[in-house]
mmCIF file of all heavy atoms in Angstrom:
data_model
loop_
_atom_site.group_PDB
_atom_site.id
_atom_site.type_symbol
_atom_site.label_atom_id
_atom_site.label_comp_id
_atom_site.label_asym_id
_atom_site.label_seq_id
_atom_site.Cartn_x
_atom_site.Cartn_y
_atom_site.Cartn_z
ATOM 1 N N MET B 1 51.034 5.933 4.498
ATOM 2 C CA MET B 1 50.823 6.636 3.223
ATOM 3 C C MET B 1 49.456 7.320 3.249
ATOM 4 O O MET B 1 48.440 6.633 3.375
ATOM 5 C CB MET B 1 50.870 5.613 2.082
ATOM 6 C CG MET B 1 51.283 6.221 0.769
ATOM 7 S SD MET B 1 51.300 5.049 -0.630
ATOM 8 C CE MET B 1 52.381 3.748 -0.126
ATOM 9 N N LYS B 2 49.450 8.658 3.144
ATOM 10 C CA LYS B 2 48.178 9.391 3.206
ATOM 11 C C LYS B 2 47.546 9.421 1.807
ATOM 12 O O LYS B 2 48.168 9.937 0.874
ATOM 13 C CB LYS B 2 48.500 10.816 3.670
ATOM 14 C CG LYS B 2 47.386 11.479 4.400
ATOM 15 C CD LYS B 2 47.836 12.820 4.943
ATOM 16 C CE LYS B 2 46.764 13.383 5.840
ATOM 17 N NZ LYS B 2 47.264 14.258 6.846
ATOM 18 N N ILE B 3 46.349 8.889 1.686
ATOM 19 C CA ILE B 3 45.715 8.854 0.354
ATOM 20 C C ILE B 3 44.358 9.565 0.390
ATOM 21 O O ILE B 3 43.410 9.088 0.998
ATOM 22 C CB ILE B 3 45.578 7.398 -0.146
ATOM 23 C CG1 ILE B 3 46.990 6.791 -0.200
ATOM 24 C CG2 ILE B 3 44.867 7.360 -1.505
ATOM 25 C CD1 ILE B 3 47.131 5.499 -0.877
ATOM 26 N N PRO B 4 44.269 10.740 -0.280
ATOM 27 C CA PRO B 4 42.985 11.458 -0.308
ATOM 28 C C PRO B 4 41.981 10.715 -1.184
ATOM 29 O O PRO B 4 42.366 9.863 -1.992
ATOM 30 C CB PRO B 4 43.350 12.816 -0.900
ATOM 31 C CG PRO B 4 44.612 12.608 -1.662
ATOM 32 C CD PRO B 4 45.310 11.422 -1.047
ATOM 33 N N PHE B 5 40.707 11.053 -1.044
ATOM 34 C CA PHE B 5 39.683 10.305 -1.784
ATOM 35 C C PHE B 5 39.616 10.701 -3.256
ATOM 36 O O PHE B 5 39.582 9.843 -4.129
ATOM 37 C CB PHE B 5 38.306 10.455 -1.133
ATOM 38 C CG PHE B 5 37.276 9.620 -1.859
ATOM 39 C CD1 PHE B 5 37.354 8.239 -1.840
ATOM 40 C CD2 PHE B 5 36.269 10.220 -2.598
ATOM 41 C CE1 PHE B 5 36.448 7.452 -2.544
ATOM 42 C CE2 PHE B 5 35.352 9.447 -3.301
ATOM 43 C CZ PHE B 5 35.445 8.062 -3.268
ATOM 44 N N SER B 337 44.811 3.816 8.542
ATOM 45 C CA SER B 337 45.975 3.837 7.642
ATOM 46 C C SER B 337 45.983 5.096 6.771
ATOM 47 O O SER B 337 46.710 5.157 5.767
ATOM 48 C CB SER B 337 45.963 2.605 6.734
ATOM 49 O OG SER B 337 45.989 1.444 7.493
ATOM 50 N N GLU B 338 45.122 6.057 7.116
ATOM 51 C CA GLU B 338 45.035 7.341 6.402
ATOM 52 C C GLU B 338 44.634 7.197 4.929
ATOM 53 O O GLU B 338 45.042 7.983 4.080
ATOM 54 C CB GLU B 338 46.343 8.121 6.537
ATOM 55 C CG GLU B 338 46.655 8.463 7.991
ATOM 56 C CD GLU B 338 47.712 9.546 8.092
ATOM 57 O OE1 GLU B 338 48.842 9.292 7.664
ATOM 58 O OE2 GLU B 338 47.366 10.621 8.595
ATOM 59 N N VAL B 339 43.837 6.165 4.655
ATOM 60 C CA VAL B 339 43.251 6.025 3.321
ATOM 61 C C VAL B 339 41.808 6.544 3.423
ATOM 62 O O VAL B 339 41.029 6.039 4.235
ATOM 63 C CB VAL B 339 43.257 4.552 2.849
ATOM 64 C CG1 VAL B 339 42.492 4.403 1.534
ATOM 65 C CG2 VAL B 339 44.692 4.048 2.694
ATOM 66 N N ALA B 340 41.490 7.567 2.603
ATOM 67 C CA ALA B 340 40.132 8.126 2.638
ATOM 68 C C ALA B 340 39.243 7.338 1.674
ATOM 69 O O ALA B 340 39.539 7.256 0.471
ATOM 70 C CB ALA B 340 40.164 9.593 2.260
ATOM 71 N N VAL B 341 38.195 6.735 2.206
ATOM 72 C CA VAL B 341 37.212 6.063 1.355
ATOM 73 C C VAL B 341 35.870 6.767 1.553
ATOM 74 O O VAL B 341 35.781 7.737 2.297
ATOM 75 C CB VAL B 341 37.104 4.545 1.682
ATOM 76 C CG1 VAL B 341 38.410 3.844 1.379
ATOM 77 C CG2 VAL B 341 36.670 4.318 3.118
ATOM 78 N N PRO B 378 39.381 5.045 -3.484
ATOM 79 C CA PRO B 378 39.925 6.148 -4.304
ATOM 80 C C PRO B 378 40.235 5.667 -5.723
ATOM 81 O O PRO B 378 40.760 4.561 -5.896
ATOM 82 C CB PRO B 378 41.238 6.513 -3.586
ATOM 83 C CG PRO B 378 41.102 5.949 -2.204
ATOM 84 C CD PRO B 378 40.214 4.760 -2.311
ATOM 85 N N TYR B 380 41.667 7.692 -9.241
ATOM 86 C CA TYR B 380 42.018 8.892 -10.026
ATOM 87 C C TYR B 380 43.413 8.699 -10.611
ATOM 88 O O TYR B 380 44.221 7.933 -10.069
ATOM 89 C CB TYR B 380 41.925 10.168 -9.184
ATOM 90 C CG TYR B 380 42.529 10.089 -7.798
ATOM 91 C CD1 TYR B 380 43.867 10.398 -7.581
ATOM 92 C CD2 TYR B 380 41.763 9.699 -6.704
ATOM 93 C CE1 TYR B 380 44.423 10.333 -6.309
ATOM 94 C CE2 TYR B 380 42.313 9.622 -5.429
ATOM 95 C CZ TYR B 380 43.640 9.943 -5.240
ATOM 96 O OH TYR B 380 44.185 9.863 -3.982
ATOM 97 N N LEU B 383 47.008 8.075 -8.919
ATOM 98 C CA LEU B 383 47.346 6.917 -8.065
ATOM 99 C C LEU B 383 48.245 5.950 -8.833
ATOM 100 O O LEU B 383 47.810 5.316 -9.793
ATOM 101 C CB LEU B 383 46.063 6.177 -7.655
ATOM 102 C CG LEU B 383 45.166 6.828 -6.600
ATOM 103 C CD1 LEU B 383 43.911 5.995 -6.406
ATOM 104 C CD2 LEU B 383 45.893 7.008 -5.270
ATOM 105 N N LYS B 387 50.573 2.885 -4.709
ATOM 106 C CA LYS B 387 49.463 3.381 -3.875
ATOM 107 C C LYS B 387 48.245 2.461 -3.998
ATOM 108 O O LYS B 387 47.572 2.154 -3.006
ATOM 109 C CB LYS B 387 49.084 4.807 -4.285
ATOM 110 C CG LYS B 387 50.159 5.823 -3.928
ATOM 111 C CD LYS B 387 49.646 7.236 -4.094
ATOM 112 C CE LYS B 387 50.721 8.231 -3.709
ATOM 113 N NZ LYS B 387 51.202 9.051 -4.824
ATOM 114 N N VAL B 388 47.962 2.019 -5.218
ATOM 115 C CA VAL B 388 46.808 1.137 -5.438
ATOM 116 C C VAL B 388 46.996 -0.144 -4.620
ATOM 117 O O VAL B 388 46.072 -0.615 -3.943
ATOM 118 C CB VAL B 388 46.625 0.833 -6.948
ATOM 119 C CG1 VAL B 388 45.582 -0.249 -7.170
ATOM 120 C CG2 VAL B 388 46.238 2.105 -7.689
ATOM 121 N N PHE B 390 48.787 -0.485 -1.934
ATOM 122 C CA PHE B 390 48.657 -0.149 -0.508
ATOM 123 C C PHE B 390 47.165 -0.091 -0.111
ATOM 124 O O PHE B 390 46.770 -0.603 0.937
ATOM 125 C CB PHE B 390 49.342 1.203 -0.239
ATOM 126 C CG PHE B 390 49.214 1.661 1.182
ATOM 127 C CD1 PHE B 390 49.926 1.032 2.202
ATOM 128 C CD2 PHE B 390 48.368 2.723 1.519
ATOM 129 C CE1 PHE B 390 49.803 1.445 3.526
ATOM 130 C CE2 PHE B 390 48.236 3.149 2.839
ATOM 131 C CZ PHE B 390 48.960 2.507 3.846
ATOM 132 N N ILE B 391 46.350 0.502 -0.987
ATOM 133 C CA ILE B 391 44.900 0.594 -0.708
ATOM 134 C C ILE B 391 44.308 -0.815 -0.627
ATOM 135 O O ILE B 391 43.555 -1.144 0.308
ATOM 136 C CB ILE B 391 44.179 1.454 -1.780
ATOM 137 C CG1 ILE B 391 44.691 2.894 -1.734
ATOM 138 C CG2 ILE B 391 42.660 1.415 -1.567
ATOM 139 C CD1 ILE B 391 44.321 3.740 -2.943
#
Side-chain angles (χ1 to χ4, degrees):
M1 206 182 304
K2 208 174 188 153
I3 301 191
F5 183 66
S337 301
E338 298 196 296
V339 173
V341 296
Y380 45 89
L383 286 176
K387 291 191 179 114
V388 171
F390 178 72
I391 296 166

